[in-house]
């Protein structure tokens, strides 16, 4: 059985598709128009931008409520305040949490 390789036109089309995919707008993580603020509680810093203060306060309240049970469960107390970053710049249904952001 003889093997056939893609023709030059097929390779050209694939190359164009790859280039077009890379040219699509990438997700924009930098928003210079946002004014960032910091809320500080006993064990946490909550960083948020203007318009997300209510969410930041709720996060700080809940985090403080569960701090003792969680640290007791794992027998570990962080050596510095833990940071949360609250940002609402995208329309993502159901929300999302990212450990490395």
């Amino acid at each position: 059985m003889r093997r056939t390789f893609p023709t030059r036109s097929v390779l050209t089309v694939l190359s164009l598709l790859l280039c077009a995919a890379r040219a699509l707008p990438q997700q924009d993580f930098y928003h210079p128009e946002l004014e960032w603020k910091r809320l500080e509680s006993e064990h946490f810093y909550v960083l948020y931008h203007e318009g997300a203060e209510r969410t930041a306060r709720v996060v700080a309240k809940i985090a403080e409520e569960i701090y003792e049970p969680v640290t007791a469960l794992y027998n570990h107390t962080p050596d510095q305040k833990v940071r949360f970053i609250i940002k609402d710049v995208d329309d993502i249904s159901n929300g999302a949490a990212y450990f490395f952001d």
Side-chain angles (χ1 to χ4, degrees), residues 53-64:
E53 183 176 358
R54 180 182 178 279
T55 303
R57 292 193 181 284
V58 170
V59 166
K61 180 181 181 294
I62 293 171
E64 286 296 342

Side-chain angles (χ1 to χ4, degrees), residues 60-74:
K61 180 181 181 294
I62 293 171
E64 286 296 342
E65 288 175 359
I66 67 169
Y67 181 81
E68 291 298 327
V70 171
T71 55
L73 176 67
Y74 291 104

Side-chain angles (χ1 to χ4, degrees), residues 8-20:
R8 179 173 277 181
S9 61
V10 171
L11 291 175
T12 303
V13 170
L14 288 175
S15 297
L16 288 173
L17 287 174
L18 287 174
C19 290

Side-chain angles (χ1 to χ4, degrees), residues 18-86:
L18 287 174
C19 290
R22 294 194 73 182
L24 293 174
Q26 301 297 314
Q27 188 172 5
D28 185 17
F29 291 108
Y30 181 65
H31 293 275
E33 74 280 3
L34 298 177
E35 181 180 333
W36 289 90
K37 300 178 181 188
R38 181 175 80 175
L39 181 109
E40 185 174 354
S41 67
E42 184 179 351
H43 301 102
F44 302 96
Y45 290 120
V46 183
L47 306 167
Y48 64 96
H49 58 78
E50 193 172 331
E53 183 176 358
R54 180 182 178 279
T55 303
R57 292 193 181 284
V58 170
V59 166
K61 180 181 181 294
I62 293 171
E64 286 296 342
E65 288 175 359
I66 67 169
Y67 181 81
E68 291 298 327
V70 171
T71 55
L73 176 67
Y74 291 104
N75 194 26
H76 173 74
T77 303
D79 57 356
Q80 59 186 2
K81 291 187 177 189
V82 176
R83 291 176 182 88
F84 290 98
I85 301 172
I86 307 298

